[in-house]
Amino acid sequence: MPNISSVSEFLLLAFADTRELQLLHFALFLGIYLAALLGNGLILSAVACHHRLHTPMYFFLLNLALLDLGCISTTLPKAMANALWDTRAISYQGCAAQVFFLFFLFGSEYSLLTIMAYDRYVAICKPLHYGSLLGSRACAQMAAAAWGSGFLNAVLHTANTFSLPLCQGNAVDQFFCEIPQILKLSCSHAYLREIGALAFSLSLVLGCFVFIVLSYVQIFRAVLRMPSEQGRHKAFSTCLPHLAVVSLFVSTGTSASLKRPSNSFPSLDLVVSFLYSVVPPAVNP
């Protein structure tokens, strides 16, 4: 049985077979990537340069923009390079790096979105306690906890996945390295250990999602009791975009994790993964 050391590179899934479509996909990805860089870069610049924006909400937005830049930079540049140079290869080390940074950045981002829901809950439901509950030190600690939890989660899943022996070839039916697709190449029952780790992570995601939903139930109840229509509009305008991003992030990410990799419909896996890996970082700004 060949072991993992026999695999020196992986072959990613191409978006198109013809050269014209490959160049079209390159142009599309380049446009999306530049839009994400511009949008998130403007957020970083605005929050860093304007003293009036040095508040907890904008501090968390700054962290979210940093994570979004990292998320989209982990997948799209390699996909663009492959489309431009008509290749599918990614090195073993590059594949491991993609898995690590995807789990690190997406895990951190989801933790941060949960913290942002708490921020909105305190701001709207307990405004008199906002300064004491979300001081600068508390915000820094919560942000550090979000980044730290993402890092530990990434180490766990990357170590589990790339310690498995692979004997089913090196073709990954995805445009970036994704754990379910790599597990499909495993020839050892040890892959069940990583499936268990994924199930544990999904349970944490579900717990955070329940917290977010309960927070917004309380937020909406408080907003609907506001006597001022302008106040209600302002509260909804800060909450609904966050809730929409959370819903998109969780629904696409969970469906991608729960869906068994398919040899019959790789395009479906491609679309789902594109939605959760590219769309949120591009539309969050």
Side-chain angles (χ1 to χ4, degrees):
M1 177 185 299
N3 59 29
I4 196 167
S5 62
S6 64
V7 177
S8 60
E9 66 176 17
F10 294 93
L11 298 178
L12 300 176
L13 183 66
F15 275 90
D17 296 327
T18 63
R19 189 61 184 148
E20 292 77 9
L21 287 177
Q22 287 176 343
L23 294 176
L24 178 61
H25 282 111
F26 168 78
L28 175 63
F29 293 157
L30 180 61
I32 294 173
Y33 188 57
L34 292 177
L37 291 181
L38 178 62
N40 288 290
L42 287 174
I43 290 176
L44 292 174
S45 301
V47 175
C49 297
H50 291 77
H51 183 72
R52 290 178 57 192
L53 300 183
H54 293 177
T55 63
M57 183 179 74
Y58 288 103
F59 171 73
F60 294 133
L61 280 176
L62 182 144
N63 279 267
L64 184 65
L66 282 173
L67 290 167
D68 282 333
L69 284 176
C71 289
I72 201 165
S73 297
T74 301
T75 56
L76 269 195
K78 180 59 179 174
M80 288 190 295
N82 283 0
L84 182 62
W85 302 114
D86 191 20
T87 182
R88 297 172 53 198
I90 183 172
S91 67
Y92 177 82
Q93 293 80 5
C95 186
Q98 272 197 341
V99 169
F100 174 80
F101 281 109
L102 280 174
F103 266 88
F104 171 41
L105 296 167
F106 277 115
S108 301
E109 180 164 335
Y110 189 65
S111 298
L112 189 66
L113 289 172
T114 306
I115 293 170
M116 292 174 72
Y118 174 72
D119 168 71
R120 293 297 83 206
Y121 165 77
V122 176
I124 294 174
C125 299
K126 297 183 178 182
L128 298 179
H129 301 281
Y130 190 76
S132 59
L133 292 176
L134 286 160
S136 58
R137 183 174 181 180
C139 290
Q141 290 174 341
M142 286 188 285
W147 287 79
S149 64
F151 178 81
L152 293 176
N153 189 46
V155 170
L156 170 66
H157 288 287
T158 305
N160 268 341
T161 301
F162 288 90
S163 64
L164 297 174
L166 306 178
C167 63
Q168 303 294 329
N170 65 342
V172 178
D173 292 331
Q174 194 53 267
F175 74 98
F176 61 91
C177 286
E178 191 181 48
I179 285 182
Q181 298 292 341
I182 296 173
L183 293 181
K184 191 170 66 172
L185 306 178
S186 174
C187 51
S188 167
H189 290 295
Y191 76 90
L192 295 173
R193 181 179 58 194
E194 173 57 20
I195 291 179
L198 287 172
F200 175 72
S201 295
L202 285 174
S203 67
L204 294 179
V205 168
L206 180 60
C208 290
F209 185 70
V210 171
F211 176 85
I212 293 171
V213 170
L214 292 177
S215 297
Y216 272 102
V217 168
Q218 297 300 319
I219 288 172
F220 290 151
R221 289 176 61 184
V223 170
L224 293 175
R225 289 197 298 265
M226 289 180 178
S228 168
E229 182 178 349
Q230 183 179 1
R232 290 196 299 269
H233 180 268
K234 182 178 179 180
F236 278 129
S237 68
T238 62
C239 294
L240 292 180
H242 171 262
L243 191 59
V245 169
V246 170
S247 300
L248 176 65
F249 190 90
V250 173
S251 60
T252 55
T254 302
S255 62
S257 299
L258 292 178
K259 186 181 181 303
R260 182 170 179 163
S262 171
N263 290 322
S264 303
F265 303 102
S267 58
L268 180 60
D269 297 329
L270 200 66
V271 170
V272 171
S273 296
F274 183 85
L275 285 175
Y276 85 80
S277 64
V278 175
V279 174
V283 303
N284 279 354

